[in-house]
Amino acid sequence: MDIVQEVLQKQKKDLEKYKPITVEKHLEVTVDVGHLMATDPNYFDDDSFKKDQEQYLMDLTRDNTQLLINAVWELPTEREEEAVVAKMPAPKTVLPRARKLPVPKPLTKWEEIAKAKGIKKRVRDKKVYDEVLDKWVPTYGYQRFKAEKEKDWVLEVPQNADPNKDMFQEKRDLRIDRIAKNEIARMRNIARAKKIQTPRTGFLGPDAASARELVTAANVAKASTASVGKFQEKLTNEKQARGIGVKELMPGLKRKRAPITLPGEKKRNLEIVNKVLNKKPLIDVEKAISLQKAEARAERDNADQEGGPKKKKKQQGKKAAKKGGAFGRKKPKGGQGKRVAGKRSVGGRKRR
């Protein structure tokens, strides 16, 4: 009997490890099987959470997961290759997106024409046979350029062209123009897809510019002359540009218009003449003072360099005068040489 009780108690303990699949809650849990999501609106027990956080969260997660699994097992099932598969329904809950919905890529101008006319895109072969080179060459890529260079090693000069003209350079220029044209077309497609109005090459066409824009452009061009459009002839049915931002575009509004009357023109010309004739140069006082100081310093240095030896000579002369008497040179000796009659002696003692 004791053995039976032991077995029953052991079985009871084993069953306690596994909880039942039925879960009872005060409020019904909302289950969205399409998203495999369960929303529990029941009250969050703070006291139980503070006592044992991990155990409370474990029990709460287990119960909600059990309800989700029960809802999955209620779905219709089918067998596929030794496996039971449940058919998932469409999701009910609308979840917010992290990013906006992808917009379909807009068609280019050529794609719209091809779609309207039913033209289908033809897949080009990667290589084609060239009869001139007698080999297979690629239809695109850098290898194709090498093949064309090998093929066009000589070019024919047309009869009406200049014989000294470089045909290879002309071919390169045409290729560069073609690449630029394709790039412009690509940028126009992007601008058209983003609904940005772009002008045509060189001028605004009627399909790219409105009547108001054309009137504004005409007025701006007329006022862009040196006379601010005073001597420009008026067009037939010419209108004055109006609207927001027109004043900022008109260059004539920033400058003063010249007087049209004769007295006013005469007065303006006289003011210009008087301004030119009575124009005085601007004097920088600090710069003039610094230049004057520099010149005085240079003169002083030159005087010091030249005056040093002269002072020495003067001192030597004074010493000689002290030694020889009142004059610096010695007295002539008498009785030496003969005086020529009628000739005045240069040297000698001066009479006072």
Side-chain angles (χ1 to χ4, degrees):
M1 211 55 183
D2 295 334
I3 298 172
V4 175
Q5 289 180 358
E6 289 179 0
V7 171
L8 291 174
Q9 289 178 0
K10 185 178 180 182
Q11 188 178 5
K12 188 177 180 180
K13 289 180 180 179
D14 293 338
L15 291 173
E16 286 179 356
K17 295 180 182 179
Y18 304 101
K19 293 184 179 181
I21 60 174
T22 57
V23 179
E24 295 180 359
K25 291 205 173 189
H26 297 289
L27 299 175
E28 186 179 356
V29 177
T30 305
V31 179
D32 189 354
V33 187
H35 285 306
L36 293 177
M37 181 179 68
T39 306
D40 190 358
N42 289 279
Y43 175 72
F44 190 81
D45 193 355
D46 292 335
D47 296 335
S48 301
F49 179 74
K50 290 178 181 179
K51 287 180 181 179
D52 193 350
Q53 297 181 4
E54 292 187 3
Q55 187 62 35
Y56 179 75
L57 293 176
M58 188 77 70
D59 295 341
L60 187 63
T61 306
R62 183 262 164 196
D63 294 343
N64 292 333
T65 306
Q66 183 64 54
L67 292 172
L68 181 62
I69 297 299
N70 293 343
V72 172
W73 278 102
E74 291 175 1
L75 297 174
T77 58
E78 60 182 9
R79 182 176 293 276
E80 288 187 5
E81 297 180 0
E82 301 180 359
V84 179
V85 181
K87 292 183 179 181
M88 304 296 289
K92 299 177 182 177
T93 308
V94 180
L95 298 177
R97 290 180 59 88
R99 297 180 181 179
K100 63 179 182 179
L101 289 170
V103 182
K105 189 177 179 181
L107 300 176
T108 62
K109 196 171 183 179
W110 164 246
E111 288 175 349
E112 289 180 356
I113 295 171
K115 185 178 179 180
K117 294 186 177 182
I119 302 172
K120 295 183 179 180
K121 187 177 180 181
R122 185 183 62 179
V123 181
R124 294 190 300 171
D125 298 330
K126 291 185 177 180
K127 287 187 176 182
V128 293
Y129 183 76
D130 195 341
E131 297 179 355
V132 178
L133 297 176
D134 195 14
K135 64 178 182 180
W136 291 88
V137 295
T139 54
Y140 52 86
Y142 71 98
Q143 295 290 347
R144 177 172 175 266
F145 177 73
K146 288 184 178 180
E148 287 184 355
K149 191 174 181 181
E150 184 181 353
K151 180 180 178 181
D152 298 336
W153 61 275
V154 62
L155 294 176
E156 183 181 359
V157 180
Q159 294 181 357
N160 56 352
D162 187 5
N164 298 323
K165 190 175 184 180
D166 190 356
M167 302 305 296
F168 293 98
Q169 183 64 33
E170 185 179 2
K171 187 178 179 181
R172 283 192 291 269
D173 294 343
L174 290 174
R175 181 172 174 271
I176 292 170
D177 293 343
R178 188 169 61 253
I179 292 171
K181 185 178 178 181
N182 293 337
E183 182 65 18
I184 291 171
R186 187 181 72 85
M187 297 300 291
R188 281 181 178 171
N189 288 331
I190 294 172
R192 190 164 51 84
K194 293 183 177 181
K195 297 180 180 179
I196 300 172
Q197 291 186 357
T198 55
R200 288 191 174 186
T201 308
F203 66 95
L204 294 171
D207 54 346
S210 61
R212 181 181 295 177
E213 291 174 346
L214 292 173
V215 169
T216 305
N219 281 262
V220 170
K222 184 178 179 181
S224 298
T225 58
S227 61
V228 200
K230 184 180 70 172
F231 301 106
Q232 299 295 325
E233 296 181 359
K234 289 189 176 181
L235 302 174
T236 55
N237 300 327
E238 183 180 355
K239 296 180 180 179
Q240 190 68 24
R242 296 178 181 177
I244 301 172
V246 175
K247 291 184 178 180
E248 287 76 8
L249 292 174
M250 299 293 287
L253 298 177
K254 296 181 181 180
R255 303 194 301 265
K256 292 183 179 179
R257 291 181 177 271
I260 301 174
T261 59
L262 187 61
E265 186 74 17
K266 184 178 179 180
K267 183 180 178 182
R268 180 172 173 272
N269 292 336
L270 287 173
E271 288 177 357
I272 293 171
V273 171
N274 293 330
K275 188 177 180 181
V276 172
L277 295 177
N278 299 330
K279 190 174 182 181
K280 296 180 181 180
L282 296 174
I283 298 173
D284 193 350
V285 179
E286 295 181 358
K287 189 174 181 181
I289 292 171
S290 61
L291 288 174
Q292 184 66 26
K293 287 182 178 180
E295 290 177 0
R297 194 182 301 112
E299 289 179 359
R300 199 181 308 115
D301 294 340
N302 293 334
D304 292 342
Q305 292 177 3
E306 295 176 358
K310 288 182 180 179
K311 288 181 180 178
K312 213 169 187 180
K313 287 180 181 178
K314 277 186 177 182
Q315 290 175 2
Q316 290 176 1
K318 287 180 180 179
K319 288 179 182 178
K322 285 180 181 179
K323 289 180 181 179
F327 298 97
R329 54 179 178 271
K330 294 180 180 181
K331 294 180 180 180
K333 294 179 179 181
Q336 293 182 1
K338 296 180 180 179
R339 292 186 178 182
V340 181
K343 188 175 180 181
R344 189 177 178 180
S345 59
V346 178
R349 186 177 178 179
K350 292 182 180 179
R351 295 182 179 180
R352 293 184 181 180

